[in-house]
Amino acid sequence: MNTEHRIVVLGGGYTGMLAAVRLARRTRALDVRITLVNPSARFTERLRMHQVAAGQQLADHRIPALLEGTGVAFVQGWATAIDTVNQEVTVDETTRLPYDELIYALGSTADTTIVPGAADHAWTLDNPATAHRFAERLTEVAARGGAVAVCGGGLTGIEAAAEIAESHPGARVTLISTGELGAMMGTNARAYLHRALDRLGVTRETGRAVVKVLPDAVELAGGELVPTDLTLWTAGVRVSPLAARAGIETDAHGLIVVDPTLRSVSHPAVHAIGDAAAVRQAWGQIHGTCQSGMPTAAYTADVIARQLRGKRVRPFRFGYFHQPVSLGRKDAVIQFTKADDRPRRGYLAGRAAVIYKETVSSSPIPTFALSKRMTVSVALSKGGRATRRIQP
């Protein structure tokens, strides 16, 4: 009789990779087979896509190399269906992978369905190939003093606008945001952010909603046009519809609804982590970032390993610690936060912040390597008193 416990991990990003590597080490003495599924063999450093868009070259990390020595099998392809009754995943419409437990880590992409024209005329930072092509166009645009519009005033938009302006001073960069830039920051850190954008020559259009993206302009509410030769879309995110199509319970945004141990409330054999999961703490729902995603991956790997050994598990606890924002390669600002992501008084800026931010951005790859040999802590905070009471 086959007693092998089959675990399939969907998604080879930050969370899926950590979950697979950590789980492999935690279950190495058990009869467990782990398979990681991802469309590309290249590991994408999502934290650095704004650097790629600005024309910088990143290290080429390959998923099979990162998995070397773990025993995790890698299947390159798109997960196209999940059969929750027979518990199997279909890859590229043909290959079927049976599972006893499924770790769903498919992450998110930019939502270009928000306004007309975004999908047709705007670029995104969803993958290295697209970011590289954007960088090639950017070089041409900057050489003739052209205009670049970055739509979306979240951290991704801010970092992209600053990186583009610093790397291509010939380009005229406009950052468009519905809300206040740096709204998650305290007053002093936000003021530093604006001084940095002034220094880089980034024009800001704040409190302005984009209603349409045209081939050569962005239309704002009220009819005003912002001329642009190149538009980058960073506003809003959307998740894969795969879970919802499979009948797994999701929220209004398509995130898998999970219990306090990050298992699907409708299908307990499914664990959801990172951007794919609707994770609630006593203070509210976690929003998708690498800062929160890596702890969900580590926690899920530990939960599965403990349950396979018949041990008790405790609910997931997480609290935010910081919001690091790069402002090009030579500047940055770090807003330290409370567990619920509200800003504290303290912040870090300038050269020290650059080193801090680079340490954060470069940490996943060595974390994967270390996780092959030891249990690595990836959560800066469990939230303290703010997370000791778990909401139902």
Side-chain angles (χ1 to χ4, degrees):
M1 180 178 178
N2 183 16
T3 60
E4 184 178 60
H5 195 78
R6 302 158 300 182
I7 302 171
V8 175
V9 182
L10 295 185
Y14 292 116
T15 58
M17 182 64 64
L18 178 60
V21 171
R22 188 178 180 113
L23 186 57
R25 193 193 70 80
R26 296 297 302 272
T27 60
R28 62 188 182 277
L30 303 176
D31 189 11
V32 171
R33 180 176 67 190
I34 303 170
T35 303
L36 176 67
V37 180
N38 196 67
S40 172
R42 179 173 180 171
F43 178 77
T44 299
E45 293 187 88
R46 288 291 297 271
L47 291 175
R48 297 187 184 277
M49 283 301 98
H50 59 286
Q51 294 177 236
V52 178
Q56 299 164 36
Q57 295 294 323
L58 302 184
D60 186 5
H61 299 292
R62 294 286 158 171
I63 290 176
L66 295 175
L67 294 175
E68 188 174 353
T70 64
V72 175
F74 175 57
V75 174
Q76 183 175 348
W78 290 92
T80 51
I82 301 172
D83 182 343
T84 57
V85 175
N86 296 309
Q87 294 195 179
E88 63 179 22
V89 174
T90 301
V91 179
D92 290 338
E93 307 288 355
T94 55
T95 304
R96 286 179 171 78
L97 300 174
Y99 67 85
D100 296 297
E101 294 190 80
L102 177 68
I103 301 178
Y104 191 98
L106 290 183
S108 61
T109 57
D111 191 354
T112 55
T113 67
I114 296 176
V115 302
D120 297 322
H121 306 302
W123 297 75
T124 70
L125 300 179
D126 288 338
N127 60 73
T130 302
H132 276 298
R133 291 196 297 272
F134 176 90
E136 292 171 356
R137 288 286 307 277
L138 175 61
T139 299
E140 299 170 2
V141 168
R144 61 175 188 268
V148 179
V150 179
C151 301
L155 299 187
T156 301
I158 292 169
E159 291 190 324
E163 201 78 48
I164 291 168
E166 181 186 78
S167 299
H168 298 273
R172 293 175 285 114
V173 181
T174 300
L175 178 57
I176 304 171
S177 176
T178 303
E180 182 180 10
L181 292 177
M184 77 297 293
M185 297 179 176
T187 302
N188 293 334
R190 190 163 57 249
Y192 186 92
L193 166 69
H194 280 282
R195 288 197 298 272
L197 293 176
D198 284 339
R199 173 176 54 79
L200 292 169
V202 176
T203 301
R204 278 92 76 196
E205 292 283 355
T206 57
R208 312 295 300 275
V210 175
V211 297
K212 192 172 185 179
V213 178
L214 303 169
D216 57 356
V218 172
E219 183 179 342
L220 305 180
E224 181 182 347
L225 295 179
V226 177
T228 178
D229 299 290
L230 199 57
T231 301
L232 182 64
W233 189 264
T234 70
V237 296
R238 59 179 172 178
V239 298
S240 168
L242 192 63
R245 288 204 304 257
I248 299 170
E249 184 174 339
T250 59
D251 68 6
H253 303 288
L255 307 179
I256 295 178
V257 180
V258 295
D259 67 14
T261 65
L262 307 189
R263 285 179 178 268
S264 162
V265 296
S266 62
H267 296 80
V270 177
H271 306 253
I273 60 178
D275 293 0
V279 182
R280 292 198 63 80
Q281 298 288 274
W283 48 262
Q285 185 163 316
I286 291 172
H287 59 84
T289 63
C290 188
Q291 180 184 180
S292 58
M294 295 279 277
T296 65
Y299 172 85
T300 293
D302 294 346
V303 161
I304 293 174
R306 288 185 65 83
Q307 290 181 330
L308 287 174
R309 291 181 170 88
K311 295 183 178 181
R312 186 172 66 93
V313 300
R314 295 179 178 177
F316 175 72
R317 290 177 56 208
F318 170 79
Y320 287 97
F321 180 78
H322 59 196
Q323 287 292 359
V325 185
S326 64
L327 301 169
R329 295 298 86 204
K330 301 174 184 177
D331 203 357
V333 59
I334 315 297
Q335 175 65 67
F336 296 103
T337 70
K338 299 178 181 179
D340 61 2
D341 210 25
R342 288 181 297 157
R344 295 184 182 275
R345 292 182 62 184
Y347 76 100
L348 189 65
R351 182 59 186 168
V354 171
I355 297 171
Y356 189 110
K357 177 61 164 68
E358 178 58 27
T359 300
V360 171
S361 297
S362 62
S363 64
I365 299 299
T367 296
F368 301 151
L370 284 172
S371 295
K372 296 177 183 180
R373 304 191 302 272
M374 64 183 71
T375 299
V376 180
S377 176
V378 296
L380 293 172
S381 170
K382 289 188 176 181
R385 288 180 296 177
T387 58
R388 289 197 181 109
R389 178 179 59 84
I390 304 298
Q391 286 188 346

